[in-house]
């Protein structure tokens, strides 16, 4: 199949562009359930006239329905997208890139979605869907799954659906750490409960602040109820986490100027789990927080990192250098920048 695609790219380049366009339109309609033509045209940077011609063709092929409320994909369209997914990876040139990143960092699996989630809500939603699919592929009965906070994890939670109740028998979702400092919808507690409800699993919550003073930490760690939930969190078989730019995370968490300057002076470029990493993947700073510790992460069976956007590439590279990821879910914009980091390392060795 790949050989055929390569031949078509050379002999029929226009056809390949048409295929990419129609795949993208169909995919975006699926992601938004129901969407108006004007909204879709604006997001895809197409004129309404051109989009109308394409969607009329998709309707005539029995792939979408066009109603007064907007356009929506039908079962035939969903099945076609599933069949096309591996082909689309080749169309967008992502299969080789996935392999290159997987090999460079020793990962079990890399999933790259087309686009840049920083400039496209469609890509952000597709990133969440890909993350949900990656999680479902490794979930099993009696699992404990720890999740961090953030907008990407919140999108992933919204995209999570479970094909079978047998898959989540005895499964628990828990927050990876405290999170009463971020916006409610982005807190780890909220995301853990949303994911559990979406798949019919159970959940437990950790009602403590994201960041603690040493005195507060010592007080809370003695609480029997806190001890019980923290012990459960530290038994997680799967961790799903986001990755943030170090300086951006200091701003989001409203850290004082002294702490921010220390983190910057230490060379931190990435943050995850409450740990700050330098470009080489070494932990250079740790915040006082309850939940997963570094030693827990290092012993966890499956660690899934999900993050996208061109500006996140340096941070993703740093966390991958740390070397405890198993699965990376990212977008094309970040992946292309990560590729530059890989090539840069090769050229200096």
């Amino acid at each position: 199949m790949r050989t055929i695609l390569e031949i078509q790219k050379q002999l029929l380049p226009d056809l390949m562009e048409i295929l990419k366009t129609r795949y993208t339109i169909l995919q975006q309609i699926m992601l938004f359930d129901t969407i108006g033509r004007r909204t879709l045209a604006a997001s895809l940077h197409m004129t309404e006239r051109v989009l109308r011609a394409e969607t009329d063709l998709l309707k005539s092929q029995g792939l979408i329905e066009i109603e007064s409320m907007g356009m929506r994909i039908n079962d035939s369209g969903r099945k076609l997208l599933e069949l096309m997914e591996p082909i689309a990876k080749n169309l967008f040139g992502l299969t080789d890139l996935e392999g290159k990143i997987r090999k460079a960092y020793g990962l079990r699996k890399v999933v790259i979605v087309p686009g840049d989630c920083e400039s496209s809500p469609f890509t952000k939603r597709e990133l969440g869907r890909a993350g949900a699919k990656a999680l479902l592929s490794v979930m099993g009965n009696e699992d404990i799954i720890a999740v961090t906070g953030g907008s990407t994890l919140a999108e992933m939670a919204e995209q999570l659906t479970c094909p079978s109740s047998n898959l989540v028998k005895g499964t628990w979702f828990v927050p990876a750490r405290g999170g009463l400092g971020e916006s409610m919808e982005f807190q780890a507690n909220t995301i853990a409960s949303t994911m559990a409800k979406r798949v019919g699993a159970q959940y437990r919550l950790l009602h403590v602040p994201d960041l603690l003073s040493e005195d507060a930490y010592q007080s809370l760690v003695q609480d029997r109820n806190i001890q019980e939930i923290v012990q459960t969190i530290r038994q997680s078989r799967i961790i799903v986490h986001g990755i943030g730019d170090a300086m951006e995370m200091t701003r989001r968490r409203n850290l004082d100027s002294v702490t921010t300057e220390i983190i910057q002076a230490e060379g931190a470029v990435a943050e995850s789990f409450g740990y700050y990493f330098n470009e080489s993947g070494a932990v250079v700073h740790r915040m006082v927080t309850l939940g997963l510790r570094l030693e827990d992460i290092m012993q966890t069976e499956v660690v899934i990192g999900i993050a996208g956007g061109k500006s996140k590439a340096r941070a993703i590279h740093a966390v991958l250098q740390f070397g405890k990821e198993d699965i990376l879910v990212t977008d094309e914009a970040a992946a292309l920048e990560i590729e530059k980091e890989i090539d840069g390392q090769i050229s200096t060795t």
Side-chain angles (χ1 to χ4, degrees), residues 171-175 189 192-194 196-197 201-205 229:
T171 292
W172 290 82
F173 282 82
V174 294
N189 275 339
S193 63
T194 299
K197 292 171 185 176
Q202 303 174 82
Y203 62 91
R204 299 194 68 181
L205 305 180
I229 178 61

Side-chain angles (χ1 to χ4, degrees), residues 41-332:
S43 66
L44 295 176
H45 307 291
M46 298 173 65
T47 65
E48 285 190 60
R49 181 181 64 80
V50 171
L51 181 63
R52 183 182 296 109
E54 295 293 346
T55 52
D56 284 348
L57 182 141
L58 293 175
K59 181 183 179 183
S60 70
Q61 295 298 313
L63 301 173
I64 65 170
E65 308 293 335
I66 300 178
E67 302 167 342
S68 58
M69 296 294 292
M71 300 173 289
R72 63 179 181 83
I73 196 170
N74 56 28
D75 289 341
S76 296
R78 290 180 187 276
K79 289 177 182 177
L80 181 63
L81 279 179
E82 288 178 11
L83 290 171
M84 283 189 66
E85 189 164 338
I87 300 172
K89 293 277 187 181
N90 278 312
L91 278 176
F92 289 95
L94 301 180
T95 303
D96 290 341
L97 188 53
E98 287 175 342
K100 185 174 183 178
I101 293 173
R102 179 182 56 77
K103 184 177 179 181
Y105 299 101
L107 300 169
R108 183 189 306 182
K109 184 178 183 181
V110 174
V111 180
I112 302 172
V113 302
D116 183 349
C117 69
E118 290 177 342
S119 60
S120 168
F122 296 104
T123 301
K124 185 73 168 278
R125 187 166 291 196
E126 178 63 9
L127 186 64
R129 190 179 76 90
K133 187 175 179 180
L135 174 58
L136 288 173
S137 73
V138 296
M139 274 175 56
N141 292 329
E142 309 294 334
D143 268 341
I144 299 175
I145 302 164
V147 299
T148 65
S151 61
T152 305
L153 269 291
E155 186 62 63
M156 177 179 165
E158 290 301 317
Q159 298 297 322
L160 191 63
T161 56
C162 187
S164 170
S165 59
N166 292 329
L167 188 64
V168 294
K169 187 177 180 181
T171 292
W172 290 82
F173 282 82
V174 294
R177 64 186 207 184
L180 301 182
E182 297 189 82
S183 301
M184 179 66 73
E185 67 269 28
F186 298 152
Q187 289 179 15
N189 275 339
T190 303
I191 291 167
S193 63
T194 299
M195 286 186 172
K197 292 171 185 176
R198 296 281 294 182
V199 300
Q202 303 174 82
Y203 62 91
R204 299 194 68 181
L205 305 180
L206 181 61
H207 294 293
V208 298
D210 182 26
L211 302 177
L212 300 166
S213 67
E214 189 61 40
D215 289 343
Y217 176 85
Q218 294 300 333
S219 175
L220 287 168
V221 82
Q222 302 302 320
D223 184 276
R224 185 170 299 176
N225 291 328
I226 297 294
Q227 288 177 347
E228 184 182 355
I229 178 61
V230 169
Q231 185 61 31
T232 300
I233 291 169
R234 291 175 178 172
Q235 293 172 355
S236 298
R237 188 181 77 86
I238 301 171
I239 298 172
V240 186
H241 70 96
I243 299 170
D245 172 80
M247 291 301 100
E248 175 62 25
M249 295 308 294
T250 63
R251 288 189 290 272
R252 275 180 53 183
R253 295 206 167 97
N254 296 315
L255 298 186
D256 61 83
S257 59
V258 174
T259 304
T260 299
E261 287 173 7
I262 291 171
I263 291 172
Q264 190 169 24
E266 290 169 331
V269 298
E271 188 277 343
S272 197
F273 317 108
Y275 293 88
Y276 287 82
F277 302 82
N278 66 15
E279 286 190 358
S280 300
V283 175
V284 295
H285 194 89
R286 177 196 173 191
M287 304 305 297
V288 179
T289 183
L290 281 168
L292 286 175
R293 303 163 301 184
L294 204 60
E295 54 263 41
D296 303 315
I297 298 163
M298 294 174 75
Q299 295 174 8
T300 302
E301 187 174 330
V302 182
V303 180
I304 303 173
I306 175 170
K310 184 177 180 179
S311 69
K312 288 278 189 75
R314 194 174 174 214
I316 296 169
H317 167 71
V319 173
L320 292 178
Q321 290 276 84
F322 177 62
K324 299 305 172 186
E325 301 296 311
D326 294 291
I327 299 173
L328 172 68
V329 182
T330 189
D331 63 16
E332 182 180 9

Side-chain angles (χ1 to χ4, degrees), residues 30-48:
M30 180 196 69
L31 289 174
F32 274 77
D33 294 327
T34 301
I35 187 170
R37 185 180 287 118
R38 180 174 298 178
T39 302
L40 183 57
S43 66
L44 295 176
H45 307 291
M46 298 173 65
T47 65
E48 285 190 60

